[in-house]
DNA sequence: GCGACAG
DNA sequence: ATCTTGTCGC
């Protein structure tokens, strides 16, 4: 898919190369105003999930496209490269977007909805990685993080589907959602072109018995987020211990 | 100054 | 994020 859907010079500043932290912060402040905080994706047939795994200064980004509502994998692109930017809370996008953007570029289909592993509006400057990618790709985007970056919230009821507001002062910046009973809730926030309530509904409808919605869960796997169980060695072919 | 801090 | 085995529970 094409990376830049809009012929706008400013949009290019969303694609970070070698920015200094202070410039990265200035960029976020300036572009946060362009995020569209409302919308309900229509006729969704494909949903993409994006995630990245890191190891020794290198990162492996993965974008997986699933059919909806079947949630079958239609396409998967994995890209590995050097990570130029360090991890700094609040500036995650500048570390991960370059690799993910390359993966999106190799995608043959343009998804109808995107789910990103990380915060959207629930960010210091209301411009988390989900907003960053959403604006870059001009796609309805949802931010779904496994832990909190900013904001406070009360307890979340135990039943699956329960949600509690995540606030920064009096401002509601996201929803803490229990995707299934017995698991730690996830942090859902607007990435781009979708409302908060709609984002939470989508996250829940994309869950299939696991804590994380399938797009995020499968992208995490594709990126090699956790060691794959080693295939059992055929008897007689086991490597000698000496 | 101290504590917090997506992945 | 990553380093890592077993173990408690449905």
């Amino acid at each position: 898919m094409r990376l830049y859907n809009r012929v706008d010079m400013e949009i290019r500043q969303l694609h970070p190369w070698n920015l200094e932290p202070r410039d990265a912060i200035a960029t976020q402040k300036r572009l946060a105003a362009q995020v569209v905080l409302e919308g309900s994706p229509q006729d969704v047939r494909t949903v993409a999930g994006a995630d990245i795994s890191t190891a020794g200064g290198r990162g492996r980004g993965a974008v997986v496209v699933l059919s909806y509502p079947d949630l079958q994998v239609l396409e998967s692109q994995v890209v590995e490269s050097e990570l130029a930017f360090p991890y700094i809370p609040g500036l995650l996008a500048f570390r991960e977007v370059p690799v993910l953007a390359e993966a999106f570029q190799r995608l043959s289909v343009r998804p109808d909805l995107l789910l990103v592993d990380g915060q959207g509006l629930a960010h210091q400057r209301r411009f988390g990685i989900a907003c960053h990618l959403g604006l870059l790709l001009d796609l309805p985007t949802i931010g779904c993080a496994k832990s909190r970056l900013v904001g406070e919230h009360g307890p979340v009821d135990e039943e699956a589907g329960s949600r509690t507001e995540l606030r920064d002062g009096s401002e509601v910046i996201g929803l803490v959602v229990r995707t299934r009973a017995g698991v730690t809730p996830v942090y859902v926030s607007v990435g781009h072109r979708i409302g908060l309530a709609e984002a939470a509904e989508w996250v829940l409808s994309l869950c299939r018995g696991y804590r994380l919605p399938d797009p995020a869960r499968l992208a995490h796997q594709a990126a090699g987020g956790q060691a794959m169980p080693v295939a059992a060695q055929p008897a007689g072919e086991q490597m000698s211990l000496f």
Side-chain angles (χ1 to χ4, degrees):
Chain A
M1 66 181 283
R2 301 187 59 75
L3 232 48
Y4 307 107
N5 200 43
R6 296 191 285 170
V7 184
D8 181 340
M9 286 307 287
E10 192 153 71
I11 201 75
R12 291 181 173 281
Q13 294 182 47
L14 285 166
H15 200 158
W17 288 288
N18 336 310
L19 297 194
E20 290 300 312
R22 73 152 290 164
D23 295 319
I25 290 174
T27 297
Q28 293 183 326
K29 287 181 178 176
R30 186 162 42 73
L31 296 169
Q34 293 189 34
V35 174
V36 175
L37 312 168
E38 54 175 37
S40 329
Q42 300 297 308
D43 306 315
V44 176
R45 293 189 182 186
T46 58
V47 181
D51 191 25
I52 185 175
S53 67
T54 63
R58 293 186 67 76
R60 177 149 57 199
V63 177
V64 175
V65 179
L66 310 181
S67 57
Y68 184 84
D70 313 70
L71 300 190
Q72 296 302 303
V73 178
L74 297 179
E75 183 177 2
S76 175
Q77 291 295 337
V78 180
V79 170
E80 190 181 325
S81 75
E82 206 75 30
L83 296 175
F85 208 87
Y87 169 67
I88 299 174
L91 298 180
L92 177 66
F94 295 88
R95 175 177 176 75
E96 305 192 341
V97 166
V99 182
L100 292 177
E102 207 176 310
F104 275 105
Q105 208 155 20
R106 300 186 184 188
L107 229 48
S108 63
V109 296
R110 182 180 170 73
D112 300 316
L113 178 64
L114 171 61
L115 192 117
V116 178
D117 176 28
Q119 315 287 356
L121 265 210
H123 174 275
Q124 298 94 308
R125 293 167 287 279
R126 306 292 179 267
F127 201 71
I129 189 171
C131 299
H132 203 124
L133 278 174
L135 210 49
L136 175 69
L137 306 169
D138 192 22
L139 288 178
T141 308
I142 297 169
C144 181
K146 296 181 293 300
S147 61
R148 184 193 69 88
L149 173 60
V150 297
E152 314 82 45
H153 66 84
V156 186
D157 288 344
E158 295 301 329
E159 320 99 80
S162 300
R163 62 210 79 174
T164 298
E165 294 183 331
L166 174 65
R167 305 176 191 168
D168 190 353
S170 60
E171 185 180 359
V172 176
I173 59 177
L175 290 173
V176 190
V177 182
R178 182 89 63 185
T179 55
R180 63 159 293 182
V183 302
T184 303
V186 298
Y187 294 75
V188 179
S189 59
V190 173
H192 187 46
R193 294 174 51 185
I194 189 171
L196 179 56
E198 289 85 348
E201 292 301 332
W202 271 106
V203 165
L204 288 172
S205 68
L206 291 171
C207 285
R208 288 291 189 278
Y210 294 85
R211 174 162 85 122
L212 298 180
D214 270 29
R217 199 170 61 76
L218 296 173
H220 190 272
Q221 281 188 356
Q226 62 176 45
M228 290 273 291
V230 180
Q233 294 300 314
E237 282 184 45
Q238 296 176 39
M239 192 188 338
S240 168
L241 292 175
F242 304 100

